Amino acid sequence: KQLTSGPAPSQASQGWWERHELEWSEEEALLAAACALTNTLRAEVQRRLGFSCSAGVSCNKMLAKLGSSMHKPDQQTLLPPEGFEQLLCNLQVDRLRGLGGGKGAQIQAELGVSTCGDLARVPL
């Protein structure tokens, strides 16, 4: 069963979902359960209120919120632990909470960075 609305999942995403349950870590099983619950809640919002919503599911609030903002409208995004590095490496600095305005622009200009990967390579 597809747990997202909107476009079909990518090949990598489909592969993640199609693994046998014995291949899943406890954390992955909990994330999958959270995805199923989130999908049900999103469907109820649509049914009862008549509007769509996007959602993100991850192991912490910051990453879940980031996932929610990535695929709009009316989709949900699962960000499992093995996807963190790839996502953050290419993520624009100003997409991070608290760095979307002047502070993010200042950091980008003063350090000569644009992505979180660039920022991670700046020596301390």
Side-chain angles (χ1 to χ4, degrees):
K1 177 181 173 186
Q2 183 176 333
L3 293 177
T4 60
S5 60
S10 68
Q11 187 175 5
S13 176
Q14 195 68 36
W16 192 89
W17 285 106
E18 290 178 347
R19 295 177 299 150
H20 188 277
E21 66 184 60
L22 295 177
E23 296 177 52
W24 292 29
S25 69
E26 181 179 355
E27 182 178 27
E28 289 172 329
L30 290 170
L31 287 171
C35 279
L37 178 60
T38 301
N39 196 56
T40 300
L41 292 171
R42 289 176 52 249
E44 278 299 298
V45 167
Q46 178 68 47
R47 186 181 73 76
R48 291 184 187 191
L49 303 175
F51 62 86
S52 65
C53 55
S54 297
V57 177
S58 194
C59 65
N60 68 51
K61 182 178 175 180
M62 182 193 82
L63 292 169
K65 287 178 71 93
L66 183 61
S68 175
S69 71
M70 292 178 63
H71 300 109
K72 291 184 179 261
D74 195 25
Q75 294 188 50
Q76 75 183 49
T77 302
L78 167 65
L79 183 55
E82 61 270 15
F84 297 169
E85 186 176 339
Q86 180 182 359
L87 171 72
L88 292 176
C89 183
N90 298 314
L91 186 72
Q92 295 295 310
V93 170
D94 60 5
R95 294 285 309 270
L96 292 176
R97 183 177 170 94
L99 296 180
K103 182 56 91 177
Q106 179 184 3
I107 288 172
Q108 289 176 314
E110 288 183 18
L111 299 178
V113 299
S114 60
T115 67
C116 294
D118 297 337
L119 185 59
R121 289 185 289 275
V122 172
L124 295 176

